[in-house]
Amino acid sequence: MMENRSTRLRGTIWTCSWLMLLVSPLAVAGSGREGDKVELALYYETLCPYCSNFIVNYLPKVFDNGLVSHLDLKLVPYGNARIGVNDTISCQHGPSECLLNTVEACAIDIWPDLNEHFPLIYCIEKLVFSHDHTQWESCFEPLGLDSKLVSDCYAGGRGKELELGYAAETNALQPPHQYVPWVVVDGKPLYDDYENFMSYICEAYSGTAKPEACSELSVNRVQLREARKTHPVCYMKEKMSSPAFKAVRSAVESISGWTKMLLDV
């Protein structure tokens, strides 16, 4: 088991290093004008398996095909969390999700450049996807990022401030979000067709020269639309008192020491 975990962790670190090269300034330097860019926003929560699947297996495609240079990409790690008394935050998948939501919010705040924060978020979500999210701190060193900046952000209260801001933004969505991942292109939610997000980006693009990636997508656009299916999501209305939720929460909370480890960094 330890050997399998080590192998997966090495694979994740290698992938993160690859992604760091992929989103280098050369990769994201766009040929289009700033005004031509399409706004792509992802509202998500860190331990929702469908969110991690989208971040790991779908979102990187815009880096592969160069479409990222025509995007204003925004990540909002809050999801289906709720605000309680005294601004306490309860997350759908328990305290560990609140921790990682805040970690990723701090990363975005500390390193606002997409080139820097996306590789880190990708690395963390790759670990979530492979059921190794307790190893999230291993993502910093391969990317040359200082983990202490994030631990200070979390411990000093800045992280909670960021999450409360994301809460306000998420709760103000019109139409209101119903689940995550909640993918929005130029203000319009894609609902459960989020995996076909690139075709929506191409439709929204108003520049004079269509991105090459869009020309390739248009060839199969009819087939894509006919092949649409409902994609899995983490519903907002899932009751936190349900037996299924309690089982998930119990499993997540059985992992001890996360917060202490972060504060001791």
Side-chain angles (χ1 to χ4, degrees), residues 78 80-84 88-94 98 240 249:
Y78 176 79
N80 297 329
R82 299 175 184 177
I83 305 298
T88 56
I89 302 175
S90 299
C91 296
Q92 189 169 34
H93 300 95
C98 282
M240 294 189 178
R249 182 168 183 170

Side-chain angles (χ1 to χ4, degrees), residues 41-59:
L42 170 61
Y43 296 84
Y44 70 104
E45 57 195 21
T46 51
L47 293 185
C48 170
Y50 314 119
C51 294
S52 61
N53 178 52
F54 181 75
I55 292 172
V56 171
N57 295 315
Y58 288 87
L59 198 51

Side-chain angles (χ1 to χ4, degrees), residues 20 28 30 36 59 73 88 115-116 168 171 244:
M20 181 172 61
V28 300
D36 295 336
L59 198 51
L73 175 57
T88 56
N115 300 336
E116 295 182 286
N171 293 334

Side-chain angles (χ1 to χ4, degrees), residues 161-231:
E161 179 185 335
L162 293 169
E163 279 297 288
L164 290 174
Y166 282 151
E169 180 179 346
T170 302
N171 293 334
L173 284 169
Q174 291 297 330
H177 92 286
Q178 303 167 21
Y179 42 73
V180 290
W182 189 256
V183 182
V184 180
V185 173
D186 272 359
K188 298 178 181 179
L190 306 189
Y191 295 98
D192 58 5
D193 195 36
Y194 61 85
E195 289 183 5
N196 290 323
F197 73 107
M198 287 190 292
S199 66
Y200 291 93
I201 291 171
C202 290
E203 288 181 354
Y205 182 75
S206 60
T208 53
K210 275 285 187 185
E212 184 178 346
C214 292
S215 299
E216 296 172 359
L217 279 174
S218 64
V219 175
N220 298 316
R221 184 161 299 173
V222 174
Q223 292 91 327
L224 280 172
R225 291 302 171 87
E226 291 178 349
R228 279 182 179 171
K229 60 181 180 180
T230 299
H231 302 297

